[in-house]
Amino acid sequence: DTAVSQTPKYLVTQMGNDKSIKCEQNLGHDTMYWYKQDSKKFLKIMFSYNNKELIINETVPNRFSPKSPDKAHLNLHINSLELGDSAVYFCASSPGSGNNQPQHFGDGTRLSIL
Amino acid sequence: GNSVTQMEGPVTLSEEAFLTINCTYTATGYPSLFWYVQYPGEGLQLLLKATKADDKGSNKGFEATYRKETTSFHLEKGSVQVSDSAVYFCALAGTASKLTFGTGTRLQVTL
């Protein structure tokens, strides 16, 4: 009964490939997020969706494209992978988009580019 | 823009020692403040939160008070355990619940 689940947990691939990471939450939350954590543990938001609508889009290369087929899912597709994309990607969700709403995180997807 | 500054680690303590991890912030408006904890190989878990000035968040023996006058949200625990070893992140939520994180502080507790 994992609240926020991401797949895969590990992803090893070559530069130039296209890959997707899936995220699902069973908490009934309206808002979902993608974060990137670099090798120094620094966390930065990439995207946020509220009820399938994009509400936050940080300065992220357009090789990254989020897709929310419904409010329980937010997938991340990455085209033409580069070495600098190596990181841990975390999905999160919250009940709504108000600033007092705590976010629930998945366990992360470790992406390694060869 | 919003920013969070927290003390650099690692912080190494003996079991039962007192813990303080400093966190200060810069923000417009009235942000909510959070502490998250990340255990090895896991995602972040909410540890505690405070949504307005002078609020005190507390959980599992950890406490932090939202100090508007000093723009701080320092994390404290009176007696740490080995199981508290983790990375601790201070964060603030501005508009649209966008979280801005500090750089994280690694805590190592030894017997």
Side-chain angles (χ1 to χ4, degrees):
Chain A
D1 59 344
T2 305
V4 180
S5 58
Q6 309 178 213
T7 54
K9 193 173 174 67
Y10 300 96
L11 186 50
V12 181
T13 190
Q14 292 194 323
M15 218 164 40
N17 285 350
D18 303 337
K19 291 293 178 186
S20 292
I21 306 172
K22 296 186 176 181
C23 179
E24 176 181 5
Q25 54 94 4
N26 62 5
L27 297 167
H29 288 170
D30 284 343
T31 310
M32 296 185 72
Y33 313 80
W34 277 109
Y35 290 86
K36 179 180 180 181
Q37 186 176 44
D38 64 23
S39 58
K40 295 183 179 177
K41 295 288 191 183
F42 185 65
L43 269 158
K44 189 167 166 52
I45 191 165
M46 301 172 69
F47 302 102
S48 172
Y49 273 69
N50 186 59
N51 263 320
K52 304 193 298 176
E53 299 293 324
L54 180 67
I55 56 172
I56 295 174
N57 185 355
E58 291 296 285
T59 309
V60 177
N62 57 14
R63 298 182 295 103
F64 291 78
S65 52
K67 284 190 170 48
S68 183
D70 54 61
K71 73 174 193 177
H73 295 84
L74 181 61
N75 304 322
L76 184 64
H77 188 76
I78 315 170
N79 288 328
S80 304
L81 280 157
E82 299 177 358
L83 289 175
D85 297 333
S86 295
V88 182
Y89 293 84
F90 286 100
C91 178
S93 72
S94 64
S97 57
N99 76 348
N100 62 351
Q101 312 260 341
Q103 295 180 20
H104 298 252
F105 284 77
D107 286 341
T109 296
R110 183 174 295 278
L111 174 62
S112 299
I113 309 302
L114 304 177
Chain B
N2 296 338
S3 67
V4 175
T5 302
Q6 58 181 110
M7 61 190 288
E8 289 203 20
V11 173
T12 303
L13 294 173
S14 298
E15 204 171 42
E16 299 184 2
F18 184 86
L19 169 72
T20 301
I21 301 178
N22 289 339
C23 171
T24 57
Y25 68 90
T26 304
T28 53
Y30 303 95
S32 293
L33 301 174
F34 302 86
W35 276 100
Y36 283 84
V37 57
Q38 185 177 27
Y39 298 101
E42 296 184 13
L44 279 75
Q45 300 173 29
L46 177 68
L47 183 59
L48 53 85
K49 72 171 189 176
T51 57
K52 61 183 188 299
D54 300 326
D55 266 3
K56 178 187 277 189
S58 60
N59 185 26
K60 300 181 183 179
F62 291 90
E63 292 183 341
T65 302
Y66 189 161
R67 302 276 188 212
K68 200 167 189 300
E69 64 277 11
T70 54
T71 61
S72 64
F73 193 54
H74 304 322
L75 182 68
E76 296 182 336
K77 186 176 186 183
S79 175
V80 294
Q81 306 300 312
V82 171
S83 56
D84 294 326
S85 298
V87 180
Y88 292 81
F89 291 91
C90 184
L92 71 82
T95 54
S97 66
K98 174 183 165 182
L99 276 177
T100 300
F101 285 92
T103 50
T105 302
R106 182 178 299 278
L107 171 65
Q108 182 73 41
V109 181
T110 59
L111 288 172

